[in-house]
């Protein structure tokens, strides 16, 4: 049987080496390329048309492809036969669950056991979606809306994306250009996120995200 062809994408060489080492233990899979940014990943997908892409969610992008939602959307539209497995440090279960709505086939947490990758690859290669032990149903989110975790969980995936870029230092205008949304839309999503997190200023928003380790 022909091995399942996998492309890896992460901006940390140590992560790439670790994931490759795990995959190479199983003859069912073969790594056919590695990328350290979005442009390299898209070029690899164009050149080798892998069966599965394993990519970090937060990864240095560019104006053409970005990362996060923008990159996932591009990959889904241009490489519909390639299944996407997200490897991430994000810990918000509702946001992680929302990634499945964007079309990803599996999510694995970086702080878990990397051997889980083989289990996920087996599921994806059989046409199944993978939800590992690190993933919880959105219905399990705490109902106490005053709790920090519950407030974070109330964010939509698009609001979360806007916050991620805002915390990285981008202005609303720059985020709008990067995500190909209008300034009005991004501003409204940022305001909605601030309301859900119960903060009333940019400084308070930044402080909340830092204390909550929202984008570690």
């Amino acid at each position: 049987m022909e091995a399942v062809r996998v492309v890896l994408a992460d901006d940390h060489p140590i992560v790439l080496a670790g994931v490759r080492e795990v995959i190479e233990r199983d003859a069912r899979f073969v790594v056919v390329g590695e990328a350290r940014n979005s442009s390299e990943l898209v070029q690899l997908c164009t050149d080798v048309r892998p069966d599965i892409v394993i990519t970090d969610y937060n990864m240095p992008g560019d104006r053409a492809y970005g990362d996060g939602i923008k990159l996932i959307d591009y990959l889904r539209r241009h490489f519909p036969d390639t299944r996407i497995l997200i490897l991430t440090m994000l810990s918000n279960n509702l946001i992680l669950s929302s990634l499945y709505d964007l079309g990803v086939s599996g999510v694995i947490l970086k702080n878990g056991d990397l051997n889980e990758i083989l289990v996920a690859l087996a599921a994806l290669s059989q046409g199944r979606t993978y939800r590992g032990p690190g993933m919880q149903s959105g219905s399990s989110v705490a109902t106490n809306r005053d709790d920090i975790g519950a407030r974070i969980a109330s964010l939509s995936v698009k609001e979360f994306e806007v916050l991620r870029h805002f915390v990285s230092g981008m202005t609303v205008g720059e985020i709008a250009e990067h995500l190909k949304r209008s300034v009005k839309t991004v501003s409204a999503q940022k305001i909605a996120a601030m309301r859900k997190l119960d903060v009333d200023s940019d400084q308070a928003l930044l402080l909340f995200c830092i204390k909550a380790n929202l984008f570690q």
Side-chain angles (χ1 to χ4, degrees):
M1 181 181 295
E2 186 177 350
V4 175
R5 299 155 68 248
V6 182
V7 161
L8 311 179
D10 198 290
D11 57 310
H12 294 95
I14 294 178
V15 174
L16 284 175
V19 174
R20 175 184 277 274
E21 180 182 0
V22 169
I23 294 175
E24 288 180 341
R25 297 174 191 164
D26 195 319
R28 293 176 297 173
F29 312 107
V30 58
V31 176
V32 294
E34 295 181 3
R36 297 189 182 182
N37 56 54
S38 301
S39 291
E40 289 183 6
L41 173 57
V42 171
Q43 188 61 55
L44 271 174
C45 288
T46 300
D47 292 342
V48 304
R49 298 285 170 166
D51 301 302
I52 298 173
V53 163
I54 301 178
T55 180
D56 191 0
Y57 184 75
N58 295 340
M59 186 173 59
D62 49 47
R63 291 184 181 275
Y65 307 114
D67 67 346
I69 292 175
K70 183 178 179 182
L71 178 61
I72 291 172
D73 181 63
Y74 185 92
L75 294 175
R76 290 291 299 143
R77 285 187 291 108
H78 290 82
F79 310 101
D81 295 328
T82 297
R83 310 203 75 192
I84 302 171
L85 178 62
I86 298 294
L87 187 62
T88 182
M89 285 294 294
L90 295 178
S91 56
N92 184 327
N93 286 318
L94 189 60
I95 296 298
L96 294 176
S97 294
S98 297
L99 296 181
Y100 290 93
D101 296 331
L102 300 176
V104 307
S105 298
V107 177
I108 292 179
L109 305 184
K110 282 187 177 180
N111 57 3
D113 185 352
L114 282 184
N115 289 306
E116 184 184 348
I117 290 173
L118 293 178
V119 180
L121 287 178
L124 267 60
S125 66
Q126 295 168 9
R128 295 185 286 113
T129 297
Y130 178 77
R131 290 180 181 268
M135 293 294 300
Q136 300 177 16
S137 169
S139 62
S140 66
V141 175
T143 56
N144 181 359
R145 306 315 295 177
D146 293 327
D147 177 78
I148 289 179
R151 278 187 271 164
I152 294 172
S154 71
L155 296 171
S156 73
V157 68
K158 289 188 176 181
E159 291 164 355
F160 186 86
E161 192 82 346
V162 167
L163 288 189
R164 182 166 69 87
H165 291 299
F166 173 73
V167 171
S168 74
M170 296 173 71
T171 66
V172 167
E174 290 170 337
I175 296 171
E177 181 179 1
H178 181 72
L179 298 178
K180 298 295 189 291
R181 302 175 194 168
S182 70
V183 171
K184 181 177 180 181
T185 295
V186 170
S187 179
Q189 289 167 340
K190 176 172 170 280
I191 291 172
M194 292 175 68
R195 184 175 64 251
K196 291 177 179 180
L197 297 179
D198 194 24
V199 295
D200 57 7
S201 68
D202 286 354
Q203 183 177 359
L205 177 60
L206 286 171
L207 186 60
F208 179 97
C209 292
I210 291 171
K211 286 187 174 181
N213 293 318
L214 197 52
F215 303 104
Q216 55 183 329

PDB file of all heavy atoms in Angstrom, residues 89-101:
ATOM      1  N   MET A  89      -0.772  25.473  20.436  1.00  0.00           N
ATOM      2  CA  MET A  89      -0.651  25.697  21.876  1.00  0.00           C
ATOM      3  C   MET A  89      -1.929  26.315  22.436  1.00  0.00           C
ATOM      4  O   MET A  89      -2.050  26.501  23.642  1.00  0.00           O
ATOM      5  CB  MET A  89       0.527  26.626  22.177  1.00  0.00           C
ATOM      6  CG  MET A  89       1.893  25.979  22.053  1.00  0.00           C
ATOM      7  SD  MET A  89       2.184  24.690  23.284  1.00  0.00           S
ATOM      8  CE  MET A  89       2.202  25.684  24.790  1.00  0.00           C
ATOM      9  N   LEU A  90      -2.876  26.669  21.581  1.00  0.00           N
ATOM     10  CA  LEU A  90      -4.125  27.277  22.049  1.00  0.00           C
ATOM     11  C   LEU A  90      -4.823  26.339  23.022  1.00  0.00           C
ATOM     12  O   LEU A  90      -4.846  25.129  22.812  1.00  0.00           O
ATOM     13  CB  LEU A  90      -5.053  27.572  20.868  1.00  0.00           C
ATOM     14  CG  LEU A  90      -4.569  28.612  19.847  1.00  0.00           C
ATOM     15  CD1 LEU A  90      -5.580  28.744  18.727  1.00  0.00           C
ATOM     16  CD2 LEU A  90      -4.328  29.948  20.521  1.00  0.00           C
ATOM     17  N   SER A  91      -5.421  26.910  24.069  1.00  0.00           N
ATOM     18  CA  SER A  91      -6.046  26.066  25.088  1.00  0.00           C
ATOM     19  C   SER A  91      -7.540  26.317  25.248  1.00  0.00           C
ATOM     20  O   SER A  91      -8.182  25.700  26.091  1.00  0.00           O
ATOM     21  CB  SER A  91      -5.348  26.287  26.441  1.00  0.00           C
ATOM     22  OG  SER A  91      -5.377  27.664  26.812  1.00  0.00           O
ATOM     23  N   ASN A  92      -8.093  27.238  24.455  1.00  0.00           N
ATOM     24  CA  ASN A  92      -9.518  27.545  24.537  1.00  0.00           C
ATOM     25  C   ASN A  92     -10.307  26.490  23.775  1.00  0.00           C
ATOM     26  O   ASN A  92     -10.289  26.436  22.545  1.00  0.00           O
ATOM     27  CB  ASN A  92      -9.780  28.940  23.957  1.00  0.00           C
ATOM     28  CG  ASN A  92     -11.228  29.371  24.105  1.00  0.00           C
ATOM     29  OD1 ASN A  92     -12.126  28.554  24.049  1.00  0.00           O
ATOM     30  ND2 ASN A  92     -11.442  30.655  24.298  1.00  0.00           N
ATOM     31  N   ASN A  93     -11.016  25.633  24.491  1.00  0.00           N
ATOM     32  CA  ASN A  93     -11.713  24.508  23.866  1.00  0.00           C
ATOM     33  C   ASN A  93     -12.783  24.931  22.867  1.00  0.00           C
ATOM     34  O   ASN A  93     -12.987  24.260  21.852  1.00  0.00           O
ATOM     35  CB  ASN A  93     -12.335  23.616  24.942  1.00  0.00           C
ATOM     36  CG  ASN A  93     -11.301  22.786  25.661  1.00  0.00           C
ATOM     37  OD1 ASN A  93     -10.401  22.246  25.046  1.00  0.00           O
ATOM     38  ND2 ASN A  93     -11.404  22.712  26.982  1.00  0.00           N
ATOM     39  N   LEU A  94     -13.467  26.038  23.151  1.00  0.00           N
ATOM     40  CA  LEU A  94     -14.513  26.474  22.223  1.00  0.00           C
ATOM     41  C   LEU A  94     -13.907  26.964  20.916  1.00  0.00           C
ATOM     42  O   LEU A  94     -14.416  26.676  19.831  1.00  0.00           O
ATOM     43  CB  LEU A  94     -15.368  27.577  22.858  1.00  0.00           C
ATOM     44  CG  LEU A  94     -16.626  27.953  22.071  1.00  0.00           C
ATOM     45  CD1 LEU A  94     -17.545  26.744  21.932  1.00  0.00           C
ATOM     46  CD2 LEU A  94     -17.364  29.099  22.728  1.00  0.00           C
ATOM     47  N   ILE A  95     -12.794  27.699  21.023  1.00  0.00           N
ATOM     48  CA  ILE A  95     -12.115  28.158  19.817  1.00  0.00           C
ATOM     49  C   ILE A  95     -11.584  26.963  19.033  1.00  0.00           C
ATOM     50  O   ILE A  95     -11.722  26.875  17.809  1.00  0.00           O
ATOM     51  CB  ILE A  95     -10.963  29.113  20.170  1.00  0.00           C
ATOM     52  CG1 ILE A  95     -11.515  30.398  20.825  1.00  0.00           C
ATOM     53  CG2 ILE A  95     -10.153  29.458  18.928  1.00  0.00           C
ATOM     54  CD1 ILE A  95     -12.424  31.203  19.936  1.00  0.00           C
ATOM     55  N   LEU A  96     -10.989  26.015  19.747  1.00  0.00           N
ATOM     56  CA  LEU A  96     -10.458  24.826  19.079  1.00  0.00           C
ATOM     57  C   LEU A  96     -11.571  24.061  18.376  1.00  0.00           C
ATOM     58  O   LEU A  96     -11.409  23.601  17.245  1.00  0.00           O
ATOM     59  CB  LEU A  96      -9.753  23.920  20.097  1.00  0.00           C
ATOM     60  CG  LEU A  96      -8.475  24.495  20.730  1.00  0.00           C
ATOM     61  CD1 LEU A  96      -7.939  23.542  21.786  1.00  0.00           C
ATOM     62  CD2 LEU A  96      -7.412  24.756  19.673  1.00  0.00           C
ATOM     63  N   SER A  97     -12.708  23.921  19.040  1.00  0.00           N
ATOM     64  CA  SER A  97     -13.835  23.221  18.437  1.00  0.00           C
ATOM     65  C   SER A  97     -14.336  23.952  17.190  1.00  0.00           C
ATOM     66  O   SER A  97     -14.771  23.326  16.221  1.00  0.00           O
ATOM     67  CB  SER A  97     -14.974  23.082  19.451  1.00  0.00           C
ATOM     68  OG  SER A  97     -14.600  22.253  20.529  1.00  0.00           O
ATOM     69  N   SER A  98     -14.250  25.278  17.232  1.00  0.00           N
ATOM     70  CA  SER A  98     -14.720  26.070  16.094  1.00  0.00           C
ATOM     71  C   SER A  98     -13.875  25.840  14.852  1.00  0.00           C
ATOM     72  O   SER A  98     -14.337  26.049  13.731  1.00  0.00           O
ATOM     73  CB  SER A  98     -14.703  27.565  16.451  1.00  0.00           C
ATOM     74  OG  SER A  98     -15.582  27.840  17.511  1.00  0.00           O
ATOM     75  N   LEU A  99     -12.630  25.390  15.049  1.00  0.00           N
ATOM     76  CA  LEU A  99     -11.763  25.143  13.899  1.00  0.00           C
ATOM     77  C   LEU A  99     -12.349  24.058  12.994  1.00  0.00           C
ATOM     78  O   LEU A  99     -12.159  24.076  11.776  1.00  0.00           O
ATOM     79  CB  LEU A  99     -10.360  24.728  14.360  1.00  0.00           C
ATOM     80  CG  LEU A  99      -9.569  25.788  15.140  1.00  0.00           C
ATOM     81  CD1 LEU A  99      -8.193  25.254  15.511  1.00  0.00           C
ATOM     82  CD2 LEU A  99      -9.436  27.069  14.325  1.00  0.00           C
ATOM     83  N   TYR A 100     -13.079  23.123  13.592  1.00  0.00           N
ATOM     84  CA  TYR A 100     -13.690  22.062  12.788  1.00  0.00           C
ATOM     85  C   TYR A 100     -14.735  22.645  11.840  1.00  0.00           C
ATOM     86  O   TYR A 100     -14.929  22.140  10.734  1.00  0.00           O
ATOM     87  CB  TYR A 100     -14.319  21.008  13.690  1.00  0.00           C
ATOM     88  CG  TYR A 100     -13.295  20.176  14.438  1.00  0.00           C
ATOM     89  CD1 TYR A 100     -12.872  20.530  15.709  1.00  0.00           C
ATOM     90  CD2 TYR A 100     -12.734  19.030  13.862  1.00  0.00           C
ATOM     91  CE1 TYR A 100     -11.917  19.786  16.399  1.00  0.00           C
ATOM     92  CE2 TYR A 100     -11.785  18.271  14.531  1.00  0.00           C
ATOM     93  CZ  TYR A 100     -11.382  18.656  15.803  1.00  0.00           C
ATOM     94  OH  TYR A 100     -10.439  17.920  16.470  1.00  0.00           O
ATOM     95  N   ASP A 101     -15.388  23.727  12.285  1.00  0.00           N
ATOM     96  CA  ASP A 101     -16.376  24.368  11.416  1.00  0.00           C
ATOM     97  C   ASP A 101     -15.711  25.016  10.211  1.00  0.00           C
ATOM     98  O   ASP A 101     -16.358  25.249   9.182  1.00  0.00           O
ATOM     99  CB  ASP A 101     -17.163  25.434  12.198  1.00  0.00           C
ATOM    100  CG  ASP A 101     -17.987  24.829  13.322  1.00  0.00           C
ATOM    101  OD1 ASP A 101     -18.408  23.661  13.184  1.00  0.00           O
ATOM    102  OD2 ASP A 101     -18.210  25.522  14.331  1.00  0.00           O
TER     103      ASP A 101
END
